[in-house]
Amino acid sequence: MCLGIPVEVLDCGEHFARCRGRDGEVSIDIRLVGAQPPGTWLLCFLDAAREVIPAERAAAVNAALSALSAVNAGETDLSAFFADLEREPQLPEFLRTSRP
């Protein structure tokens, strides 16, 4: 399995960008997304950018990756990592209808 890691562009060249991610600065292959201005967020797989993403999505992906690290460390309360899910789960509409 390959996980997407969000990184923020610091400097950009023709084929590679210097970016900052969860593990510090990295060189990212940008040939699939093209040159991007500093401050742009990229979703990367194996040090290659696959998608330009908004900062909000980068934050959500980073929170999920932090939750994964917490689970690996033995933590069981993951509510702090998924603030956007602070609601009761809802059944899809087709499951809400009662059957005879």
Side-chain angles (χ1 to χ4, degrees), residues 30-67:
I30 57 165
R31 288 177 280 190
L32 291 177
V33 297
Q36 300 295 322
T40 301
W41 283 92
L42 305 171
L43 190 59
C44 301
F45 298 81
L46 300 174
D47 293 331
R50 299 288 191 261
E51 183 180 353
V52 176
I53 60 173
E56 297 80 18
R57 182 161 177 223
V61 171
N62 272 324
L65 292 171
S66 294

Side-chain angles (χ1 to χ4, degrees), residues 7 9 11-19 26-36 42 44 46-50:
V7 296
V9 175
D11 290 314
C12 195
E14 185 177 353
H15 299 295
F16 290 89
R18 184 172 61 91
C19 300
V26 291
S27 179
I28 299 295
D29 181 335
I30 57 165
R31 288 177 280 190
L32 291 177
V33 297
Q36 300 295 322
L42 305 171
C44 301
L46 300 174
D47 293 331
R50 299 288 191 261

